[in-house]
């Protein structure tokens, strides 16, 4: 079978490899669709640690084609989405129920072989069933949506509250929709590209702003801004220093800031501890998808979250390495690999 192998920083290639065999408790999945994520580009560039040689691809869905010993609850032919993050179940964090903080978290498509391949083997506990009639390209959004659900859970949005989302990539577009589903009344999104602002409005953003057009803080939380005094919740989804440093100033007194965007480990941004104290801001980090993959699969299956318009292009397995090695084209939301 074919697999996109990450062999070292800057070295990624489509290779012919043996088809994996599912061990006890594992299933063999014929990959139908796998999303190319910014993390794949960071791994290629050496900015996110992986375990080469390894097949990349952590956002995928496919069909169960073989069952290892002692697998139950899954059948041949089932369409599944994969939760890539495997927690050890034994460390202090796992035992406290905080599996995303597991001290030895192993991720499929990062530390063990993933979904940019004809087939992948996954532990059955990582598989979540999807409907037979679901478009598999939609199934490829379950993993990023599950990360967004965790972020929105952390934000604890209540009906009628106001939310600001910073960054109109796939994460921002999913967070906008989840904020609405959670009951937010006003959802304002800041992103530079006009096409992304239009798309966010189609997906439920009540207001959009162009951060390059002026002072974002004045435009949102200023006296004559969109949300004078700031929003109940601010969710940072751009992963750049500028938006992280804006975020606290966009929150109202007692408000909550959730950081979903990933910045390089050495990045530092300034905050005002005095302001955080005086206005009792909560600043929270949200990491991956603890116990949210099942809810994500439900929302994708029911169509409650729209993903069709987030698919920018459908590409072949043979094109994947080249696409990951290049910067994302301007305006692209998600490219999905379809092995065929
Ligand atoms: P993305 O496609 O790069 O989207 C980020 C968007 O932010 C860009 O498309 C860009 O759109 C916008 N942006 C850039 N600078 C901005 C600024 N100054 N103000 C407002 N918007 C700005 O990435 P993504 O796939 O949506 O992911 C977003 C972040 O979440 C990434 O850092 C990713 O690594 C992270 N992530 C985190 C988790 C987690 O578990 N916490 C999971 C998945 C992804 P414009 O060009 O329109 O401005
Ligand atoms: Zn990803």
């Amino acid at each position: 079978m074919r697999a996109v192998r990450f062999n070292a920083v800057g070295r990624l290639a489509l290779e012919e490899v043996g088809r994996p065999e599912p061990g006890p408790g594992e299933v063999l999945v014929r990959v139908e669709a796998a999303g190319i994520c910014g993390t794949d580009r960071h791994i290629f560039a050496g900015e996110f640690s992986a375990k080469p040689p390894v097949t990349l691809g952590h956002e995928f869905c496919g069909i169960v084609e073989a069952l290892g010993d002692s697998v139950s609850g899954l059948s041949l032919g089932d369409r599944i989405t994969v939760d890539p993050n495997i927690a050890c179940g034994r460390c202090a964090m796992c035992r406290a129920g905080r599996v995303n903080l597991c001290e030895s978290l192993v991720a499929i498509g990062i530390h063990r072989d993933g979904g940019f391949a004809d087939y992948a083997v996954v532990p059955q506990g990582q598989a979540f069933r999807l409907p037979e009639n679901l478009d598999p390209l939609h199934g490829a959004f379950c993993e990023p949506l599950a990360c967004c659900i965790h972020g929105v859970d952390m934000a604890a949005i209540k009906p009628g509250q106001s939310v600001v989302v910073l960054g109109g990539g796939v994460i921002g577009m999913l967070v906008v929709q989840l904020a609405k589903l959670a009951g937010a009344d006003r959802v304002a999104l800041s992103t530079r590209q006009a096409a992304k602002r239009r798309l966010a409005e189609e997906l439920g953003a009540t207001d959009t702003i162009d951060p390059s057009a002026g002072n974002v803080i004045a435009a949102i939380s200023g006296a004559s801004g969109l949300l004078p005094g700031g929003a109940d919740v601010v969710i940072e989804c751009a992963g750049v220093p500028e938006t992280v440093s804006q975020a606290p100033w966009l929150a109202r007194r007692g408000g909550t800031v959730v950081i979903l965007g990933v910045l390089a480990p050495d990045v530092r941004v300034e905050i005002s501890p005095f302001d955080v104290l005086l206005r009792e801001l909560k600043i929270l980090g949200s990491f991956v998808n603890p116990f949210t993959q099942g809810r994500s699969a439900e929302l994708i299956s029911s169509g409650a979250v729209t993903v069709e318009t987030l698919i920018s292009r459908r590409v072949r397995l043979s094109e994947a390495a080249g696409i990951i090695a290049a910067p994302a084209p301007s305006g692209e939301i998600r490219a999905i690999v379809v092995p065929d």
Side-chain angles (χ1 to χ4, degrees), residues 263-339:
L263 288 90
D266 58 344
V267 171
R268 300 289 179 270
V269 294
E270 264 186 15
I271 59 156
S272 159
F274 177 75
D275 176 63
V276 172
L277 169 139
L278 193 74
R279 300 197 298 130
E280 285 204 344
L281 300 181
K282 286 186 277 298
I283 302 181
L284 308 171
S286 172
F287 180 58
V288 299
N289 58 346
F291 304 118
T292 54
Q293 192 82 9
R295 288 159 64 200
S296 176
E298 292 293 337
L299 290 170
I300 296 279
S301 302
S302 70
V305 168
T306 299
V307 294
E308 179 63 31
T309 46
L310 306 182
I311 302 170
S312 309
R313 53 181 168 152
R314 176 194 163 116
V315 303
R316 295 167 192 280
L317 201 47
S318 55
E319 298 170 283
I323 291 170
I324 294 166
S330 167
E332 179 151 294
I333 307 278
R334 255 303 175 269
I336 311 276
V337 178
V338 179

Side-chain angles (χ1 to χ4, degrees), residues 37 39 58-59 143 334:
C37 162
T39 303
H58 58 273
E59 303 182 355
E143 193 274 345
R334 255 303 175 269

Side-chain angles (χ1 to χ4, degrees), residues 47 237 316:
E47 297 156 359
C237 305
R316 295 167 192 280

